[in-house]
Amino acid sequence: MRRRIAIILERADVALGGAERSMFEVASALAELDCQVDLLAAKGQRTAENVRILCPDTPGRRMSLPTFAAALKQHLSQTGYDIVHSVLPFDFADVYQPRGGTYAETLIRNAASYRHLGCRWYKRATALANRRRARLLQAERQLCRGPNGPVIAALSRYVAEQLKRHYGTDVRRIRLILNGVVTDRSIAPSSTARLRSQILGLLHQTEADRPLLLLFAAHNFRLKGLEPLIRALSLARQRSPKRPPCLIVLGGGTIAPYRRLTRRLNVEPHVLFLGPAHDVGEALTVTDVGVLPTFYDPSSRFILEALAAGKPVITTAYNGATDHFVHGRHGFAVDSPTNVPRLAETIDHFADPAHLARARESIAADKLRDTISVRRVARELSALYESIRTRCW
């Protein structure tokens, strides 16, 4: 019998970031398993038949939790769903999946990403001045405490630990369903050839120079560690590796302060800011290593996409995507984004062609692409839904 699933998200717009894009991909993968999936959003665009915008006429880009909850309850009362799966902390859902990790950890790690101690203290002290943020944290804390409530689907071990550490969540309520991405996209060779030629030209490099091309992709450059990465690049280049490292930056963040940093560190010719226009999949195809020295990421899509493309990765222990690879075999998880010398060492490691080739061979041999696939996520969610239905009946 075909199951009808409701997935609740705040805004139906894949351009907003990884969490929104991920839920659209999960919905498509669930549909392949003969699930009828409706995406219920407060705001956004109805880009598909299964997208329902519940508060289209309410002013503002964001919706208060009580207003959205009321609209959801009315819709749910009129439509029969077998499972209600929410990425927002609504206690009437069957499954709660905090796609951005817990709000408590997000506040702490966001403050930690500021370079100056005074800024870090200020961000921690004023974190709950935002009423909406405070309400979300309170709702999540209430939902996650105690033995009863929705099943909580954690998309990484890092998120599972957050739930236990911040809220004392009963482990019996937590199900580990690791994050995944679409792994079967086709990219035209002609397109990638043009992009590589463009990148090398802008870096004033040729194929004969054999540069090591590092790719960083994010919108929040501060939180995702671009500053320590530029410092690590400068340090790595001073070591005169076998292949000179160059950094390609994709994303819509503010470029000016980071460009100034590249000038101060004398690496400006070796750092290329491409902006948000280019496709991450294409860029991964023509570069060598995916790098994201993030201060916080519950499970980075970019790192998963890099591994799915057969590229070794460099990230930090504050990224739940580390669940998907073996440190030292497929890439590296540095203890902290502020450990610039260690970041430089990992770059230097992959500047050795033998090390780079060995990591790529290991990624292929260990079939990481299969475990990263969103289809695996859909199968595990489907099994979870079935267990909830069975338990309820």
Side-chain angles (χ1 to χ4, degrees), residues 7-13 16 19-20 23-24 39-45 51-55 60-65 68 72 85-90 99 103 132 136:
I7 295 181
I8 299 170
L9 63 164
E10 183 179 8
R11 291 179 289 177
D13 186 351
L16 291 171
E20 289 80 8
M23 293 318 296
F24 274 79
L39 291 159
L40 311 182
K43 296 284 188 175
Q45 300 175 342
V51 175
R52 307 279 184 267
I53 308 301
L54 301 188
C55 307
R61 291 187 304 111
R62 290 183 178 273
M63 187 62 47
S64 72
L65 278 188
F68 189 24
L72 282 166
H85 175 156
S86 179
V87 303
L88 292 169
F90 291 123
R99 298 292 311 183
Y103 291 103
R132 187 174 187 281
L136 284 165

Side-chain angles (χ1 to χ4, degrees), residues 338-383:
T338 59
N339 190 346
V340 171
R342 181 57 183 147
L343 279 171
E345 288 174 10
T346 62
I347 293 171
D348 197 34
H349 175 87
F350 287 123
D352 185 325
H355 292 161
L356 184 64
R358 191 175 301 120
R360 296 191 64 171
E361 290 165 3
S362 298
I363 290 168
D366 296 342
K367 299 181 179 179
L368 296 195
R369 189 172 177 178
D370 293 341
T371 61
I372 288 168
S373 173
V374 71
R375 288 192 172 95
R376 185 266 309 156
V377 176
R379 290 194 299 271
E380 293 180 5
L381 280 174
S382 180

Side-chain angles (χ1 to χ4, degrees), residues 102-112 123-124 127-128 133 137 296:
T102 63
Y103 291 103
E105 185 77 0
T106 300
L107 297 177
I108 292 169
R109 295 307 305 162
N110 179 66
K123 289 295 179 180
R124 286 288 295 268
L128 298 180
R133 189 183 300 141
L137 175 61
Y296 179 63

Side-chain angles (χ1 to χ4, degrees), residues 50-346:
N50 65 330
V51 175
R52 307 279 184 267
I53 308 301
L54 301 188
C55 307
D57 301 322
T58 307
R61 291 187 304 111
R62 290 183 178 273
M63 187 62 47
S64 72
L65 278 188
T67 301
F68 189 24
L72 282 166
K73 288 177 180 178
Q74 180 178 1
H75 176 82
L76 294 174
S77 70
Q78 298 169 350
T79 312
Y81 292 103
D82 298 301
I83 293 291
V84 176
H85 175 156
S86 179
V87 303
L88 292 169
F90 291 123
D91 57 10
F92 51 81
D94 300 295
V95 176
Y96 173 48
Q97 188 179 42
R99 298 292 311 183
T102 63
Y103 291 103
E105 185 77 0
T106 300
L107 297 177
I108 292 169
R109 295 307 305 162
N110 179 66
S113 69
Y114 286 85
R115 181 170 176 79
H116 298 291
L117 181 61
C119 287
R120 293 200 295 271
W121 278 105
Y122 176 78
K123 289 295 179 180
R124 286 288 295 268
T126 61
L128 298 180
N130 181 300
R131 181 180 296 181
R132 187 174 187 281
R133 189 183 300 141
R135 182 168 284 172
L136 284 165
L137 175 61
Q138 180 183 21
E140 184 175 70
R141 182 182 289 116
Q142 291 175 347
L143 181 150
C144 294
R145 287 180 172 174
N148 302 314
V151 174
I152 305 173
L155 73 166
S156 66
R157 290 180 176 84
Y158 181 25
V159 173
E161 287 303 315
Q162 293 173 34
L163 290 164
K164 290 181 280 188
R165 176 163 29 96
H166 294 301
Y167 307 134
T169 305
D170 190 327
V171 295
R172 291 171 295 183
R173 291 182 58 197
I174 301 173
R175 297 293 185 276
L176 188 63
I177 299 180
L178 300 183
N179 201 17
V181 295
V182 172
T183 58
D184 54 1
R185 291 180 55 207
S186 60
I187 299 173
S190 59
S191 177
T192 57
R194 284 194 302 272
L195 180 58
R196 184 170 178 85
S197 177
Q198 176 192 17
I199 286 172
L200 291 177
L202 292 170
L203 289 168
H204 304 290
Q205 297 280 313
T206 67
E207 295 291 357
D209 295 319
R210 301 173 67 244
L212 177 73
L213 299 182
L214 309 171
L215 180 66
F216 170 98
H219 291 304
N220 189 334
F221 290 167
R222 171 186 45 77
L223 185 64
K224 304 304 180 178
L226 182 56
E227 180 182 340
L229 177 55
I230 292 172
R231 294 182 183 278
L233 176 75
S234 173
L235 189 56
R237 288 191 65 90
Q238 294 172 22
R239 297 174 175 175
S240 300
K242 297 178 182 178
R243 296 181 64 186
C246 297
L247 175 62
I248 295 91
V249 178
L250 289 186
T254 302
I255 292 173
Y258 300 97
R259 198 183 293 281
R260 289 194 292 269
L261 178 63
T262 65
R263 293 193 194 109
R264 289 202 302 272
L265 298 176
N266 297 315
V267 292
E268 185 179 14
H270 316 296
V271 179
L272 178 60
F273 294 92
L274 288 182
H278 289 278
D279 180 83
V280 172
E282 275 190 2
L284 281 167
T285 302
V286 302
T287 51
D288 299 300
V289 182
V291 189
L292 195 76
T294 182
F295 284 85
Y296 179 63
D297 210 314
S299 185
S300 162
R301 284 179 56 88
F302 170 61
I303 290 298
L304 299 187
E305 288 170 341
L307 291 167
K311 310 293 178 163
V313 296
I314 300 170
T315 188
T316 70
Y318 295 102
N319 187 348
T322 54
D323 288 338
H324 286 277
F325 70 90
V326 176
H327 174 80
R329 178 172 172 82
H330 310 118
F332 291 98
V334 179
D335 62 332
S336 169
T338 59
N339 190 346
V340 171
R342 181 57 183 147
L343 279 171
E345 288 174 10
T346 62

